Amino acid sequence: MKTLVIAEKPSVAQDIVRAITPFAGKFEKHDEYFESEEWLVTSAVGHLVEIQAPEEFDVKRGKWSFANLPVIPPFFDLKPMDKTKTRLNAIVKLSKRKDVGALVNACDAGREGELIFRLIQQYAKSKHPVKRLWLQSMTPAAIRDGFESLRSEQQMQGLADAARSRSEADWLVGINGTRAMTAFNSRDGGFFLTTVGRVQTPTLSVVVEREEKIRKFISRNYWEVQAVFEAEAGQYPGKWFDPTWTKAAAHAAAASRINSAAPQDGLAAPESDPELKNDRVWTAAQAQTIADAVRGKHASVSEESKPTTQAPGQLFDLTSLQREANGKFGFSAKTTLSIAQSLYERHKALTYPRTDSRALPEDYLPVVKKTFEMLAGSDMRHLAPHALVALNNGYLRQNKRIFDNAKVSDHFAIIPTLQAPSGLSDVEQKLYDLVVRRFMAVFFPSAEHLVTTRISVAAGHSFKTEGKVLVKPGWLAIYGKEVQDESSDEKDSKTLVPVKPGEQVAVDSVDAKGLKTRPPARYNEATLLAAMVGAGKTIDDDELRHAMQEKGLGTPATRAATIEGLIAEKYMLRDGRDLIPTAKAFQLMTLLRGLDVQELSKAELTGEWEFKLSQMEHGKLSRETFMAEIAAMTERMVAKAKGYDKDSIPGDYATLATPCPNCAGVVKENYRRYTCVGHKGDDGCGFSFGKTPAGRTFETVEVEQFLRDKKIGPLEGFRSKAGWPFTAEMVIKFDEETKNYKLEFDFGDDKNAESGEIVELGEQQSLGKCPICGSAVFEHGKNYICEKSVPTNAQPTPSCTFKTGQVILQQPIEREQMVKLLETGKTDLLDKFVSMRTRRAFKAMLSWDAVAVKVNFEFAPSKFPPRKPASAKTGPATIKTPFGKVVAVKTAGATKPAAKKVAAKKVAVKKVAAVKTAKPKVARVATPGAGLTPSSALAAVIGQEPVARTQVIKKLWDYIKAENLQDATNKRAINADEKLLAVFGKPQVTMFELAGIVGKHLTKQE
């Protein structure tokens, strides 16, 4: 019987085959697997199966109400993932072969790898005994050692239970939390999708809390006293500081100032004030006093120099690579992962990128040496010399900072492979270089600097100057001047002018510079990834903090998707490199705080789970106990949302600056609405509107604009009751029935044209000429229209039909694009169209379709060249056999008979039969003059030359447009002139009749 080995990735399957060939025998390569006398080796491509609730528990979105919650199924079904069904079916088929008697789980050594295998095994309903291959290194020797010491299924049961429990717990919390919060927010009607999750929501909370600090930050004035000193050798700058300063004394002084200061000074309470520093002065008078005291004076100088070393950074894991690429190149986390995946899968140039380890296995030094040899001998001239230096100087040595099995998890750090890449794109080359430079740098010596601190004392006041000189570049040589410039402060990039012992230097100039404290910086992707990694450090409980050590929120493979998911759900938006939480994000955090389900927004939940899952892995906690606790937590969470009976959720709400449009009273925000509360001492007038119409939450600045202008848009992100996304403008209109203003959607329906009411186009500037009649095109309502397509004073009866929307499939069509379409016939490539059928975004140009007489889509040409026709192929014909080999085959005319069909169950095949192929068909090429002969009546319109039927229609349309024969009121109708009357046989036809009429006037050539 054969043993089926299932790895997690195709590259690992290939490594396993290469490693075990010496004792397993030669392997035959097939499309989805490798086969020898006793072994079958195949692989997944990550997760192939996902869990889902059984059909009887599957609550559709339209039924997302508290009546159907919580959803806690007694078991979970499995669902194949659409993109990898073929691979899953291939593995299932292999597991059911009659000659397979055992399985080896060779998925990655960790919780997620265990889950991938166990779900495949469950889906295949396999009852075969299972052994576990546990690898920390992918060298051939390590793989062979792993096969010598396979672990039993019983040994891995704890890890398997923890893997399943984590997956099912995430499902229960995510699905029930999302549906409960959505049901709560949709109580007043509509469908307000409110997604939550164990990783997503705490990550969002981090961003929201930072934004709250920024909004509440009160900037304070402070001063720095900066001087320029004149020595014999030249000038150097210095900044005043207090050499006796201590944090405790500074806080005491701040408290004293606050007690005696005016409120407008904006001084904060002294408790742990991070703005208090030894070089800051908090009053202008004190700063000016210092400046006046030293101006024109001489200073004594003392200085101290000491050597310092700077070690290189550690090898990259995925998160640190994403942070570095975001900081250096502005790549998003998603982009970096995509590029790294391409370098791994397509170019085979990097090792597996989805890793959380920054170390290498302890037996990997020989592979490292071979990699350096590859780099030294490569054509990469910017990298090869440094690799050669490392080899020649013996830099490649065993080092616990680099080689440490205890710090290698499922995968080791990201490093270059032994394969030198070629044909990399610009972004691929940038990321590859980033990884290679770091890989080489960790083996180089530390950089050595000489740091000089100079103190200049004038009139009893001390000024500090610092300089830094690079003595030995060490690993910095790999980066040239780039790293020294980018990683050093301005003070570090200057060499201080020398001062002689005992020399008195003059104060050349001095200035008391007024500055302001700044709020904390917003998160960008690099800093947010760092916050996700370090989330466990904020937990107070020692056990939970230890459980999250080296883990943080999410995994390296999922953090990019978490950030992109928050942006897709409109919880955050990108502003340059900054990530800014939206009003929807603040509303969710307010809701979770108000309902007291803050465990969803804190890292403690992940810490608690990791602690308990670790206990489960070691047999100290049962899966049943853990899942019962998760179910109870889920029920509690739903019950809190379901049982909340107050009118509003308490929170920090805004008071708008723009007055009520109805009574000019004050408009205030609450959890669900913006409401007029009237003037002081008065009740409100009743004007109010929801914060989240059609599932889209207003930003405060949008509401201010909306109330001021009584219209806004077009805005994206609305959803219909059926869940369809749409874009629209909104208006505030006076309602005669209620004698108050109300909010409405404005889709730009042009009711004037239908009612015959005269339209005033005003003095606006024309966008260009109408492509139908040549008249002027203007903006009107939510459309661009021809001036003759609506009733006007100049022409009460419309004579043209040109009209196109300012928003098409959610894509706003800017005025500049419409001008371009009218001038050139098409717009630029626009990228925000959303298909109504598939709901997917797509890119297209808008172009004028003269035949259809309307604006149509035009798609950019494919970047992939069209396939050559079969007749264009050269060389001998080939065919791929069932075993992956490509062999030459004889074409028609071969005399040898085909071999009999090989039975599917047969394992080894010695010969491959010749395959008889049909003679390729050659496409017919039309020759000039070939085609149909027009009748004399038709020839009078299009000419006498023989022509293809499609060309006849085109020529007819050219004639119709040239003679302006389309009917003015119905563009689908064509009025016949004297020539066309002979062809049509009647004075008017529709465009749909043309093909039938033309057919009667065409005959085949003899």
Side-chain angles (χ1 to χ4, degrees):
M1 297 294 283
K2 296 194 175 187
T3 300
L4 173 61
V5 181
I6 302 175
E8 188 169 319
K9 300 174 289 292
S11 61
V12 175
Q14 291 176 342
D15 289 341
I16 289 172
V17 167
R18 281 194 288 266
I20 67 174
T21 294
F23 68 80
K26 184 179 179 182
F27 280 85
E28 192 83 35
K29 186 180 184 303
H30 299 253
D31 287 344
E32 306 283 355
Y33 62 97
F34 300 86
E35 184 169 9
S36 72
E37 290 288 335
E38 297 181 355
W39 297 86
L40 290 164
V41 180
T42 188
S43 75
V45 280
H47 281 279
L48 303 183
V49 184
E50 59 186 342
I51 62 172
Q52 65 175 6
E55 191 171 338
E56 59 267 32
F57 292 93
D58 188 17
V59 183
K60 302 300 180 185
R61 188 186 61 211
K63 299 178 183 177
W64 282 16
S65 67
F66 285 118
N68 298 314
L69 294 174
V71 181
I72 305 178
F75 61 92
F76 284 91
D77 283 344
L78 298 180
K79 175 188 173 185
M81 301 180 84
D82 291 336
K83 292 183 179 179
T84 53
K85 277 184 179 178
T86 303
R87 176 70 64 154
L88 176 63
N89 292 338
I91 295 176
V92 171
K93 187 175 179 181
L94 288 171
S95 71
K96 292 184 176 179
R97 275 178 44 165
K98 290 185 178 180
D99 59 347
V100 170
L103 303 181
V104 171
N105 174 7
C107 291
D108 294 342
R111 191 190 297 160
E112 212 59 26
E114 195 68 24
L115 180 65
I116 288 170
F117 175 84
R118 297 281 178 155
L119 293 184
I120 293 172
Q121 180 191 22
Q122 180 185 339
Y123 182 82
K125 298 177 181 177
S126 173
K127 303 296 182 184
H128 296 309
V130 177
K131 293 287 186 180
R132 183 60 155 110
L133 177 65
W134 193 262
L135 299 176
Q136 296 287 28
S137 172
M138 293 306 299
T139 61
I143 293 172
R144 286 192 287 270
D145 289 344
F147 273 96
E148 289 293 326
S149 54
L150 293 172
R151 302 184 182 184
S152 69
E153 193 169 9
Q154 290 72 29
Q155 285 177 284
M156 307 309 300
Q157 193 58 50
L159 183 65
D161 286 346
R164 285 184 183 273
S165 297
R166 196 278 309 154
S167 175
E168 293 173 9
D170 270 342
W171 191 96
L172 288 171
V173 171
I175 292 295
N176 284 284
T178 294
R179 293 181 181 181
M181 300 308 138
T182 299
F184 185 91
N185 281 331
S186 304
R187 276 177 167 174
D188 291 345
F191 180 75
F192 180 14
L193 178 63
T194 310
T195 59
V196 297
R198 176 179 63 89
V199 174
Q200 168 190 305
T201 311
T203 301
L204 180 62
S205 177
V206 168
V207 180
V208 169
E209 287 173 6
R210 173 65 61 85
E211 191 68 21
E212 286 174 336
K213 288 180 181 177
I214 293 170
R215 292 183 181 184
K216 292 176 181 177
F217 184 83
I218 299 173
S219 183
R220 289 178 280 162
N221 296 324
Y222 71 92
W223 286 260
E224 290 181 352
V225 182
Q226 300 174 354
V228 175
F229 297 93
E230 183 77 49
E232 290 181 15
Q235 292 183 337
Y236 65 90
K239 186 197 292 186
W240 175 90
F241 77 104
D242 181 0
T244 64
W245 185 91
T246 63
K247 188 173 289 187
H251 282 130
S256 175
R257 286 198 307 274
I258 288 172
N259 291 334
S260 60
Q264 62 266 29
D265 287 347
L267 292 174
E271 290 83 0
S272 63
D273 185 351
E275 301 294 348
L276 297 179
K277 298 179 180 179
N278 69 351
D279 57 1
R280 291 183 176 181
V281 178
W282 292 97
T283 64
Q286 184 185 358
Q288 196 59 49
T289 299
I290 296 170
D292 292 342
V294 302
R295 186 174 287 110
K297 299 291 194 295
H298 283 75
S300 60
V301 179
S302 62
E303 64 182 32
E304 179 184 6
S305 297
K306 59 180 179 181
T308 61
T309 59
Q310 182 182 358
Q314 288 181 279
L315 293 169
F316 286 124
D317 63 0
L318 177 58
T319 303
S320 58
L321 179 61
Q322 288 169 322
R323 290 174 58 192
E324 188 84 1
N326 181 257
K328 273 188 173 292
F329 312 127
F331 294 167
S332 70
K334 179 182 177 182
T335 298
T336 299
L337 175 56
S338 175
I339 298 169
Q341 200 71 24
S342 174
L343 288 166
Y344 164 67
E345 290 180 349
R346 183 172 164 222
H347 297 286
K348 316 294 184 191
L350 293 184
T351 57
Y352 185 67
R354 296 171 185 256
T355 175
D356 61 355
S357 175
R358 305 189 71 174
L360 297 175
E362 292 171 6
D363 62 356
Y364 225 68
L365 183 58
V367 178
V368 166
K369 288 181 178 178
K370 289 181 181 177
T371 308
F372 267 81
E373 289 167 1
M374 178 276 292
L375 293 169
S378 72
D379 295 331
M380 295 177 280
R381 296 180 182 177
H382 59 300
L383 301 173
H386 303 298
L388 197 59
V389 168
L391 290 167
N392 292 340
N393 289 277
Y395 290 166
L396 308 182
R397 295 188 295 269
Q398 203 75 26
N399 183 333
K400 199 69 174 176
R401 185 171 181 262
I402 304 168
F403 303 98
D404 189 348
N405 286 346
K407 293 181 179 178
V408 173
S409 55
D410 301 6
H411 313 278
F412 51 77
I414 304 171
I415 63 171
T417 64
L418 293 171
Q419 184 164 322
S422 61
L424 300 184
S425 66
D426 288 343
V427 291
E428 287 172 336
Q429 190 67 55
K430 282 182 178 180
L431 201 71
Y432 181 75
D433 285 356
L434 203 63
V435 173
V436 173
R437 287 182 194 274
R438 177 64 65 88
F439 170 67
M440 291 194 294
V442 297
F443 292 98
F444 270 62
S446 295
E448 295 181 16
H449 296 86
L450 186 66
V451 176
T452 301
T453 302
R454 178 177 293 170
I455 307 297
S456 306
V457 181
H461 293 284
S462 300
F463 292 79
K464 182 185 288 186
T465 309
E466 292 184 327
K468 190 174 183 180
V469 178
L470 182 63
V471 179
K472 292 183 180 179
W475 64 273
L476 286 176
I478 296 172
Y479 295 85
K481 294 181 180 180
E482 178 185 45
V483 165
Q484 297 174 52
D485 293 344
E486 291 183 6
S487 69
S488 301
D489 296 330
E490 186 177 347
K491 65 183 180 186
D492 296 335
S493 61
K494 294 181 179 178
T495 302
L496 294 181
V497 298
V499 175
K500 294 178 181 178
E503 181 182 350
Q504 292 281 308
V505 297
V507 179
D508 184 71
S509 63
V510 63
D511 180 35
K513 188 174 182 181
L515 300 166
K516 287 182 175 291
T517 57
R518 293 187 294 179
R522 285 193 171 105
Y523 281 108
N524 54 39
E525 291 206 31
T527 54
L528 182 56
L529 286 167
M532 292 174 76
V533 172
K537 297 174 184 175
T538 63
I539 298 175
D540 294 329
D541 186 283
D542 290 339
E543 284 186 331
L544 303 189
R545 185 170 61 250
H546 180 73
M548 275 192 75
Q549 190 177 2
E550 303 295 333
K551 290 186 181 292
L553 288 170
T555 67
T558 61
R559 285 178 187 129
T562 297
I563 294 172
E564 294 297 329
L566 288 169
I567 293 170
E569 290 294 341
K570 310 298 183 187
Y571 282 124
M572 295 192 310
L573 56 88
R574 283 191 179 96
D575 182 13
R577 293 192 183 184
D578 290 344
L579 297 171
I580 303 175
T582 63
K584 183 179 178 182
F586 280 93
Q587 192 170 4
L588 173 60
M589 291 304 132
T590 299
L591 176 60
L592 295 178
R593 293 164 188 169
L595 296 180
D596 193 25
V597 286
Q598 292 194 60
E599 61 262 38
L600 276 180
S601 63
K602 300 295 182 185
E604 276 84 348
L605 179 62
T606 292
E608 184 180 345
W609 284 18
E610 288 298 338
F611 175 68
K612 290 181 178 178
L613 291 172
S614 177
Q615 286 188 313
M616 195 183 302
E617 288 179 20
H618 294 91
K620 297 177 182 178
L621 180 71
S622 72
R623 171 164 151 74
E624 291 73 20
T625 301
F626 177 79
M627 292 310 299
E629 291 176 0
I630 296 298
M633 173 195 158
T634 302
E635 289 171 345
R636 263 194 326 271
M637 176 177 60
V638 172
K640 284 180 178 179
K642 190 175 183 178
Y644 193 87
D645 56 359
K646 297 178 183 177
D647 292 336
S648 186
I649 300 285
D652 184 13
Y653 296 117
T655 298
L656 302 185
T658 310
C660 168
N662 191 48
C663 71
V666 176
V667 178
K668 286 191 174 183
E669 175 192 16
N670 60 40
Y671 180 70
R672 296 186 186 278
R673 306 184 71 78
Y674 289 97
T675 303
C676 173
V677 296
H679 301 277
K680 285 186 178 180
D682 298 335
D683 292 331
C685 67
F687 170 74
S688 74
F689 60 91
K691 291 167 62 175
T692 311
R696 184 195 186 279
T697 304
F698 279 121
E699 300 291 332
T700 305
V701 290
E702 291 176 339
V703 179
E704 298 277 13
Q705 179 190 340
F706 195 15
L707 293 180
R708 185 177 62 249
D709 301 340
K710 295 187 174 60
K711 66 177 182 178
I712 192 169
L715 300 176
E716 301 174 6
F718 296 109
R719 284 185 179 271
S720 70
K721 290 182 179 179
W724 290 94
F726 66 93
T727 300
E729 290 193 7
M730 301 199 77
V731 296
I732 298 175
K733 288 186 176 180
F734 189 79
D735 181 25
E736 291 292 343
E737 185 177 339
T738 61
K739 301 300 180 184
N740 209 328
Y741 284 85
K742 67 176 184 179
L743 177 151
E744 289 183 358
F745 284 104
D746 186 352
F747 294 102
D749 299 328
D750 189 4
K751 299 182 177 64
N752 290 23
E754 297 173 6
S755 64
E757 185 178 338
I758 297 298
V759 171
E760 295 288 344
L761 294 174
E763 300 297 323
Q764 60 174 300
Q765 184 178 356
S766 167
L767 286 86
K769 291 184 178 180
C770 171
I772 296 176
C773 69
S775 301
V777 173
F778 296 101
E779 292 182 57
H780 176 59
K782 307 301 173 294
N783 296 299
Y784 299 107
I785 62 165
C786 171
E787 62 181 342
K788 292 188 177 180
S789 67
V790 293
T792 61
N793 286 320
Q795 182 179 302
T797 303
S799 61
C800 185
T801 59
F802 180 77
K803 179 175 80 170
T804 185
Q806 291 181 359
V807 178
I808 299 175
L809 294 182
Q810 302 192 53
Q811 168 71 60
I813 312 302
E814 303 295 341
R815 181 184 176 93
E816 295 76 16
Q817 293 298 330
M818 183 50 56
V819 169
K820 188 166 187 177
L821 185 146
L822 296 175
E823 285 181 353
T824 67
K826 68 174 68 174
T827 65
D828 295 330
L829 188 67
L830 307 176
D831 61 1
K832 293 183 180 177
F833 295 107
V834 178
S835 167
M836 288 293 289
R837 183 174 63 85
T838 65
R839 306 192 191 189
R840 291 179 180 173
F842 67 91
K843 300 178 183 180
M845 295 168 281
L846 295 178
S847 65
W848 176 248
D849 188 336
V851 176
V853 198
K854 66 176 183 179
V855 173
N856 246 332
F857 291 114
E858 182 176 322
F859 298 96
S862 172
K863 49 187 178 179
F864 300 104
R867 291 183 179 180
K868 294 181 179 179
S871 58
K873 290 181 180 178
T874 59
T878 61
I879 188 170
K880 194 171 185 179
T881 72
F883 303 100
K885 287 187 176 180
V886 178
V887 296
V889 297
K890 295 187 177 181
T891 56
T895 56
K896 289 186 179 180
K900 292 182 180 180
K901 185 178 179 182
V902 180
K905 296 179 182 178
K906 196 168 182 180
V907 176
V909 174
K910 302 287 185 179
K911 299 177 181 178
V912 177
V915 179
K916 186 176 181 179
T917 60
K919 187 175 181 179
K921 294 181 180 179
V922 180
R924 290 184 297 172
V925 180
T927 56
L932 303 170
T933 304
S935 67
S936 56
L938 185 58
V941 180
I942 67 169
Q944 297 179 352
E945 295 81 8
V947 67
R949 185 183 295 268
T950 53
Q951 289 298 311
V952 174
I953 300 296
K954 184 178 183 304
K955 289 188 175 186
L956 264 179
W957 269 111
D958 289 342
Y959 179 82
I960 291 164
K961 286 185 288 182
E963 299 298 326
N964 199 22
L965 297 178
Q966 280 182 281
D967 191 78
T969 57
N970 179 11
K971 292 298 179 183
R972 295 178 179 176
I974 302 160
N975 297 321
D977 62 2
E978 187 177 350
K979 291 182 179 180
L980 286 180
L981 189 59
V983 178
F984 295 166
K986 52 185 178 180
Q988 190 182 69
V989 299
T990 68
M991 64 173 65
F992 305 111
E993 296 177 85
L994 274 184
I997 293 172
V998 165
K1000 299 174 183 177
H1001 289 269
L1002 296 170
T1003 56
K1004 289 184 179 180
Q1005 283 184 291
E1006 294 296 330

